[in-house]
Amino acid sequence: MKLTCYQVDPQPAELVPGSPDREWMDRFSDRHPYRCLPLVVANTTGWALLSPVSFTATWTGGPRTEDIRLDPDGDTPKALLDRWAVSHFSGGVLTFHTGYLFRTEPGWDLWVGGPPNHIKDGIQPLAGVVETYWLPFPFTMNWRFTRPGMISFKKGEPFCFIMPIPHEQMDEVQPIIKSIHDDPDLKRQYEAWGASRTNFLDKLADKDAEAIKNGWQRDYFRGRTPEGHLAPDSHVNRRRLKPPRKAEPGE
């Protein structure tokens, strides 16, 4: 699918494939949160927009737009900051412009929100689903303060994350509740996983040298089950999203 990014600002925010790295994950011993493949894949399943400026935002806790104050860091001109971040919706909501009008192909929307697993104390990203397959105007990215106080964004920090999603197929999904006993083969695989997990944790607790050396079970990362069954070839343990490119003549 083609995602067309029309520039409505002469210098829009930088758009890059999502990065797997998170500062809070780096701080763990042995960076062990990166062993969680679903976490890392979520971090990279989409494109991030990076803040063009560094600034500080302060909310008094009041309901008015004037109750959020924005101050550029360093020698950044206030006029430049005003192009990207504003207090528009009131109620402690901080609004970012992206500099783009995004257009997806028919049948596709954009999920718009904060970068997955990117944690900021004092402010929370708001998520939205936008019908970008027809919409002729851009959207904004919004964050809401969780309490009165001060937060900051640094130049190059992601402030928005976009991911194409099907427009109508979600309405066709039918959740069905069943007992695991209704699928004997799946039940056997589930129990084999449980036994393998318990055995590994017991070895870690007993200071087993091999278990300590391994550190963690890699079955999901490698795309296999404890019984040795392999995942389909479509199994993903690393995203390789395409970076944006300039449109070719006539495209």
Side-chain angles (χ1 to χ4, degrees), residues 6-13 49 84 97-101 138-139 159:
Y6 292 98
Q7 298 182 11
V8 295
D9 186 283
Q11 294 181 305
L49 288 145
W84 300 108
H97 299 292
T98 68
Y100 293 100
L101 190 163
F139 54 78
F159 69 88

Side-chain angles (χ1 to χ4, degrees), residues 206-223:
D206 293 338
K207 309 298 184 183
D208 179 83
E210 186 67 20
I212 292 174
K213 179 182 177 181
N214 290 331
W216 56 295
Q217 291 180 293
R218 296 167 170 82
D219 290 336
Y220 181 54
F221 188 90
R222 292 171 174 168

Side-chain angles (χ1 to χ4, degrees), residues 164-186:
I165 61 171
H167 175 62
E168 295 180 314
Q169 282 86 337
M170 183 64 70
D171 296 327
E172 300 173 5
V173 176
Q174 175 62 67
I176 299 175
I177 307 295
K178 295 181 69 173
S179 168
I180 190 70
H181 299 286
D182 293 335
D183 190 326
D185 185 57
L186 181 59

Side-chain angles (χ1 to χ4, degrees), residues 4 40 66 75 79 154 156 166 173 249 251:
T4 306
V40 175
E66 304 95 293
D75 55 0
K154 300 303 180 184
V173 176
E251 187 175 9

Side-chain angles (χ1 to χ4, degrees), residues 1 3 15-16 18 41-49 102 104 108-114 116 127-130 132 139 160-167 170 239 241:
M1 193 201 73
L3 172 61
L15 179 68
V16 298
V41 170
N43 291 351
T44 56
T45 303
W47 289 262
L49 288 145
F102 292 99
T104 45
W108 290 85
D109 298 333
L110 273 188
W111 182 95
V112 180
V129 174
V130 186
T132 44
F139 54 78
C160 182
F161 196 83
I162 59 173
M163 176 178 58
I165 61 171
H167 175 62
M170 183 64 70
R239 287 284 186 206
L241 298 189

Side-chain angles (χ1 to χ4, degrees), residues 58-163:
T58 306
W59 183 41
T60 67
R64 305 172 303 162
T65 57
E66 304 95 293
D67 292 321
I68 292 181
R69 174 177 170 173
L70 303 176
D71 296 298
D73 293 351
D75 55 0
T76 301
K78 182 67 162 63
L80 178 59
L81 172 60
D82 291 343
R83 281 172 50 194
W84 300 108
V86 295
S87 177
H88 175 71
F89 290 108
S90 71
V93 174
L94 172 64
T95 296
F96 284 89
H97 299 292
T98 68
Y100 293 100
L101 190 163
F102 292 99
R103 181 57 62 90
T104 45
E105 293 183 350
W108 290 85
D109 298 333
L110 273 188
W111 182 95
V112 180
N117 305 308
H118 180 78
I119 299 169
K120 286 189 75 68
D121 183 40
I123 197 165
Q124 171 76 27
L126 305 180
V129 174
V130 186
E131 294 184 351
T132 44
Y133 68 92
W134 69 268
L135 200 66
F137 49 85
F139 54 78
T140 58
M141 174 62 203
N142 298 284
W143 295 63
R144 189 178 188 278
F145 280 85
T146 57
R147 62 175 181 273
M150 180 184 299
I151 61 94
S152 65
F153 278 85
K154 300 303 180 184
K155 183 177 180 179
E157 179 179 350
F159 69 88
C160 182
F161 196 83
I162 59 173
M163 176 178 58

